[in-house]
Amino acid sequence: MRLQAASITLLSAIVAGLCAGAYAAEEKPTLVGSFRDWHVYQSGAGNDRLCYALSEPKQKTPGNVTRGSVFFLISTWPGRKVRNEPSVVPGYEYKQGTKTEIQVGPAKFELFTKNEGATGGAWMENPDDEKKLVDTMKKGSGMTVAGTSSRGTQTRDNYSLAGISAALDKLDAICK
């Protein structure tokens, strides 16, 4: 498992930066390119450099609940030797002990969840599974992310995968 407390804090900072227009109180992430439903950003320099592709869901179910920002990210941190790490920002705190499930076509993947404050996040435990998920996403047209909030609400977010391959190509090119 590659998740550290810093990963959650960084993920929180990314979301805060995208929503509030500031990144880590110092630097705003730079939009490098948009590829249909996916957008590539970069921030920092040297060992602190972070690059990521992100998308927002096309449909969130149930539609009648209040949630914060919802994203799917694929992050690369050259200084940490992390490449194409998928993660989920659900817009709520996860229910303790629950998993999140991603489905692309018939393929299913499970992610562990972790909360920090009022922010939840989900990651894969095995880097080999991360590569399988990303490769599957490149071949798919849509993806569903299902999770359970701390209040027990079951959510289902549908993402378009249109532009994912081009976004990941750009991510690889800018963040070596």
Side-chain angles (χ1 to χ4, degrees), residues 1-3 7 72-77 81-87 102 109-112 122-138 168:
M1 173 169 64
R2 293 190 287 170
L3 174 70
S7 296
F72 190 92
L73 295 104
I74 299 174
S75 305
T76 293
W77 302 331
K81 297 186 182 352
V82 173
R83 185 166 274 331
N84 292 340
E85 179 183 48
S87 60
I102 296 175
F109 301 87
E110 191 174 84
L111 288 74
F112 72 92
W123 294 265
M124 301 187 90
E125 291 194 45
N126 183 339
D128 292 336
D129 291 338
E130 293 173 353
K131 182 174 177 4
K132 288 177 192 170
L133 171 58
V134 171
D135 289 346
T136 302
M137 290 171 66
K138 288 179 182 180
L168 291 174

Coordinates of all heavy atoms in Angstrom, one line a residue, residues 1-3 7 72-77 81-87 102 109-112 122-138 168:
M1 N 0.8 -1.2 0.0 CA 0.0 0.0 0.0 C 0.9 1.2 0.0 O 1.8 1.4 0.8 CB -0.9 0.0 1.2 CG -1.7 1.2 1.4 SD -3.0 1.1 2.7 CE -2.1 0.8 4.1
R2 N 0.6 2.2 -0.9 CA 1.5 3.3 -1.1 C 0.9 4.6 -0.4 O 1.5 5.6 -0.4 CB 1.7 3.7 -2.5 CG 2.5 2.6 -3.2 CD 3.0 3.1 -4.6 NE 1.8 3.1 -5.5 CZ 1.8 3.6 -6.7 NH1 2.9 4.2 -7.1 NH2 0.8 3.5 -7.4
L3 N -0.3 4.4 0.1 CA -1.0 5.6 0.7 C -0.3 6.0 2.0 O 0.0 5.2 2.8 CB -2.5 5.2 1.1 CG -3.2 6.3 1.8 CD1 -3.4 7.5 0.9 CD2 -4.5 5.8 2.4
S7 N -0.6 11.7 1.3 CA -1.4 11.5 0.2 C -2.8 12.1 0.4 O -3.4 12.7 -0.5 CB -1.5 10.0 -0.2 OG -0.3 9.5 -0.6
F72 N -12.5 11.9 -10.1 CA -11.6 10.7 -10.2 C -10.3 11.3 -10.7 O -10.3 12.1 -11.7 CB -12.2 9.7 -11.2 CG -11.5 8.4 -11.2 CD1 -11.9 7.4 -10.3 CD2 -10.3 8.2 -11.9 CE1 -11.2 6.2 -10.3 CE2 -9.6 7.0 -11.9 CZ -10.1 6.0 -11.0
L73 N -9.2 10.9 -10.0 CA -7.9 11.4 -10.4 C -7.0 10.3 -10.7 O -7.1 9.2 -10.1 CB -7.3 12.2 -9.2 CG -8.0 13.5 -8.8 CD1 -8.8 13.2 -7.5 CD2 -7.0 14.6 -8.6
I74 N -6.0 10.6 -11.6 CA -4.9 9.7 -11.8 C -3.7 10.6 -11.7 O -3.4 11.5 -12.4 CB -5.0 9.1 -13.2 CG1 -6.3 8.2 -13.3 CG2 -3.7 8.2 -13.5 CD1 -6.5 7.7 -14.7
S75 N -2.9 10.3 -10.6 CA -1.8 11.2 -10.2 C -0.4 10.6 -10.5 O -0.2 9.4 -10.4 CB -1.9 11.4 -8.7 OG -3.1 12.0 -8.4
T76 N 0.5 11.4 -10.8 CA 1.9 11.1 -11.0 C 2.8 12.0 -10.2 O 2.6 13.2 -10.3 CB 2.3 11.1 -12.5 OG1 1.6 10.1 -13.2 CG2 3.8 10.9 -12.7
W77 N 3.6 11.5 -9.3 CA 4.6 12.2 -8.5 C 6.0 11.7 -8.8 O 6.4 10.7 -8.2 CB 4.3 12.0 -7.0 CG 2.9 12.4 -6.6 CD1 2.1 13.4 -7.1 CD2 2.1 11.9 -5.5 NE1 0.9 13.5 -6.5 CE2 0.9 12.5 -5.5 CE3 2.4 10.9 -4.6 CZ2 -0.1 12.3 -4.6 CZ3 1.4 10.6 -3.7 CH2 0.2 11.3 -3.6
K81 N 8.4 8.6 -7.1 CA 8.4 7.4 -8.0 C 7.0 6.8 -8.1 O 6.8 5.5 -8.2 CB 9.4 6.4 -7.6 CG 10.8 7.0 -7.8 CD 11.9 6.0 -7.5 CE 13.3 6.4 -7.6 NZ 13.7 7.7 -7.9
V82 N 5.9 7.6 -8.1 CA 4.6 7.1 -8.2 C 4.1 7.6 -9.6 O 4.2 8.7 -10.0 CB 3.7 7.8 -7.1 CG1 2.2 7.4 -7.4 CG2 4.1 7.3 -5.8
R83 N 3.6 6.6 -10.4 CA 3.1 6.9 -11.7 C 1.7 6.3 -11.9 O 1.4 5.2 -11.6 CB 4.0 6.3 -12.7 CG 3.7 6.7 -14.2 CD 4.7 6.4 -15.2 NE 5.8 7.3 -15.5 CZ 5.8 8.6 -15.5 NH1 4.8 9.3 -15.0 NH2 6.8 9.3 -15.8
N84 N 0.8 7.2 -12.4 CA -0.6 6.8 -12.7 C -1.3 6.1 -11.6 O -1.8 5.0 -11.7 CB -0.6 5.9 -14.0 CG -0.2 6.7 -15.2 OD1 -0.2 7.9 -15.3 ND2 0.3 5.9 -16.2
E85 N -1.4 6.8 -10.4 CA -2.1 6.3 -9.2 C -3.5 6.8 -9.2 O -3.8 7.9 -9.1 CB -1.4 6.7 -8.0 CG -2.1 6.2 -6.7 CD -1.4 6.8 -5.5 OE1 -1.2 8.0 -5.4 OE2 -1.2 6.0 -4.6
P86 N -4.5 5.8 -9.4 CA -5.9 6.2 -9.4 C -6.4 6.5 -8.0 O -6.0 5.9 -7.0 CB -6.6 5.0 -10.0 CG -5.6 4.0 -10.4 CD -4.3 4.4 -9.8
S87 N -7.3 7.5 -7.9 CA -7.9 7.7 -6.6 C -9.3 8.4 -6.8 O -9.6 8.9 -7.9 CB -7.0 8.6 -5.7 OG -6.8 9.9 -6.3
I102 N -15.1 0.1 -8.4 CA -15.1 0.7 -9.7 C -15.4 -0.4 -10.7 O -14.9 -1.5 -10.6 CB -13.7 1.3 -10.0 CG1 -13.4 2.4 -9.1 CG2 -13.6 1.8 -11.5 CD1 -12.0 3.0 -9.2
F109 N -13.1 -3.4 -9.8 CA -11.9 -3.2 -9.0 C -12.4 -2.6 -7.6 O -13.3 -1.9 -7.6 CB -11.0 -2.1 -9.7 CG -10.5 -2.6 -11.0 CD1 -11.3 -2.3 -12.1 CD2 -9.3 -3.2 -11.2 CE1 -10.9 -2.7 -13.4 CE2 -8.9 -3.6 -12.4 CZ -9.7 -3.3 -13.5
E110 N -11.7 -3.0 -6.6 CA -12.0 -2.6 -5.2 C -10.9 -1.6 -4.7 O -9.7 -1.9 -4.8 CB -12.1 -3.8 -4.3 CG -12.8 -3.5 -3.0 CD -13.0 -4.8 -2.2 OE1 -12.1 -5.2 -1.5 OE2 -14.2 -5.3 -2.2
L111 N -11.4 -0.6 -4.0 CA -10.5 0.4 -3.4 C -10.8 0.5 -1.9 O -11.9 0.4 -1.5 CB -10.7 1.8 -4.1 CG -10.2 2.0 -5.5 CD1 -11.0 1.3 -6.5 CD2 -10.1 3.5 -5.8
F112 N -9.7 0.7 -1.1 CA -10.0 1.0 0.3 C -10.3 2.4 0.5 O -9.9 3.3 -0.4 CB -8.8 0.5 1.1 CG -7.5 1.4 1.0 CD1 -7.3 2.4 1.9 CD2 -6.6 1.1 0.1 CE1 -6.2 3.2 1.8 CE2 -5.4 1.9 -0.1 CZ -5.3 2.9 0.8
A122 N -10.3 7.4 -1.8 CA -10.2 5.9 -2.0 C -9.1 5.6 -2.9 O -8.9 6.4 -3.9 CB -11.5 5.3 -2.6
W123 N -8.3 4.6 -2.6 CA -7.1 4.2 -3.3 C -7.1 2.7 -3.5 O -7.7 1.9 -2.7 CB -5.9 4.6 -2.6 CG -5.7 6.1 -2.5 CD1 -5.0 6.9 -3.4 CD2 -6.2 7.0 -1.5 NE1 -5.0 8.2 -3.0 CE2 -5.8 8.3 -1.8 CE3 -7.0 6.8 -0.4 CZ2 -6.1 9.4 -1.1 CZ3 -7.4 7.9 0.4 CH2 -6.9 9.2 0.0
M124 N -6.2 2.2 -4.4 CA -6.0 0.8 -4.5 C -4.8 0.4 -3.7 O -3.9 1.1 -3.5 CB -5.7 0.4 -6.0 CG -6.9 0.8 -6.9 SD -6.7 0.3 -8.6 CE -7.5 -1.3 -8.5
E125 N -4.9 -0.8 -3.1 CA -3.8 -1.3 -2.2 C -2.6 -1.8 -3.0 O -1.5 -1.6 -2.6 CB -4.3 -2.4 -1.3 CG -5.3 -1.8 -0.3 CD -5.6 -2.7 0.8 OE1 -4.6 -3.3 1.4 OE2 -6.7 -2.9 1.2
N126 N -2.8 -2.3 -4.2 CA -1.7 -3.0 -4.9 C -1.4 -2.2 -6.2 O -2.3 -2.0 -7.1 CB -2.2 -4.4 -5.3 CG -1.1 -5.2 -6.0 OD1 -0.2 -4.7 -6.6 ND2 -1.3 -6.5 -5.9
P127 N -0.1 -1.7 -6.4 CA 0.2 -1.0 -7.6 C 0.0 -1.8 -8.9 O -0.3 -1.2 -9.9 CB 1.7 -0.7 -7.4 CG 1.9 -0.7 -5.9 CD 1.0 -1.8 -5.4
D128 N 0.1 -3.1 -8.8 CA -0.2 -3.9 -10.1 C -1.7 -3.7 -10.5 O -2.0 -3.7 -11.6 CB 0.1 -5.3 -9.8 CG 1.6 -5.6 -9.7 OD1 2.4 -4.8 -10.2 OD2 2.0 -6.6 -9.1
D129 N -2.6 -3.6 -9.5 CA -4.0 -3.4 -9.8 C -4.3 -2.0 -10.3 O -5.2 -1.8 -11.1 CB -4.8 -3.7 -8.5 CG -4.9 -5.1 -8.1 OD1 -4.6 -6.0 -8.9 OD2 -5.1 -5.4 -6.9
E130 N -3.4 -1.0 -9.9 CA -3.6 0.3 -10.4 C -3.3 0.3 -11.9 O -4.1 0.9 -12.7 CB -2.6 1.2 -9.8 CG -2.8 1.5 -8.3 CD -1.7 2.3 -7.6 OE1 -0.7 2.6 -8.3 OE2 -1.9 2.7 -6.5
K131 N -2.3 -0.4 -12.4 CA -2.0 -0.5 -13.8 C -3.1 -1.2 -14.5 O -3.5 -0.8 -15.6 CB -0.7 -1.2 -14.0 CG -0.3 -1.3 -15.5 CD 1.1 -1.9 -15.7 CE 1.5 -2.0 -17.1 NZ 0.7 -1.6 -18.2
K132 N -3.7 -2.3 -14.0 CA -4.8 -3.0 -14.6 C -6.0 -2.1 -14.8 O -6.6 -2.1 -15.8 CB -5.2 -4.2 -13.8 CG -4.1 -5.3 -13.9 CD -4.6 -6.5 -13.0 CE -3.4 -7.5 -12.8 NZ -3.7 -8.5 -11.7
L133 N -6.3 -1.3 -13.7 CA -7.4 -0.4 -13.8 C -7.2 0.6 -14.9 O -8.1 0.9 -15.7 CB -7.7 0.3 -12.4 CG -8.7 1.4 -12.5 CD1 -10.1 0.9 -13.0 CD2 -8.9 2.1 -11.1
V134 N -6.1 1.3 -14.9 CA -5.8 2.3 -15.9 C -5.8 1.8 -17.3 O -6.4 2.4 -18.2 CB -4.4 3.0 -15.6 CG1 -4.0 4.0 -16.7 CG2 -4.5 3.8 -14.3
D135 N -5.2 0.6 -17.5 CA -5.3 0.0 -18.8 C -6.7 -0.4 -19.2 O -7.1 -0.2 -20.4 CB -4.4 -1.3 -18.8 CG -2.9 -1.1 -18.8 OD1 -2.5 0.1 -19.0 OD2 -2.2 -2.0 -18.5
T136 N -7.5 -0.8 -18.3 CA -8.9 -1.1 -18.6 C -9.7 0.2 -18.9 O -10.5 0.2 -19.8 CB -9.6 -1.8 -17.4 OG1 -8.8 -3.0 -17.1 CG2 -11.0 -2.2 -17.6
M137 N -9.4 1.2 -18.2 CA -10.1 2.5 -18.4 C -9.8 3.0 -19.9 O -10.7 3.5 -20.5 CB -9.6 3.6 -17.4 CG -10.1 3.3 -16.0 SD -9.4 4.4 -14.8 CE -10.0 6.0 -15.3
K138 N -8.5 2.8 -20.3 CA -8.2 3.2 -21.7 C -9.0 2.5 -22.7 O -9.2 3.1 -23.8 CB -6.7 3.0 -21.9 CG -5.8 3.9 -21.2 CD -4.3 3.5 -21.5 CE -3.3 4.4 -20.8 NZ -1.9 4.0 -21.1
L168 N -3.8 10.8 -20.5 CA -2.7 10.1 -19.9 C -1.4 10.2 -20.7 O -0.3 10.2 -20.1 CB -3.1 8.6 -19.7 CG -4.2 8.4 -18.6 CD1 -4.6 6.9 -18.5 CD2 -3.7 8.9 -17.2

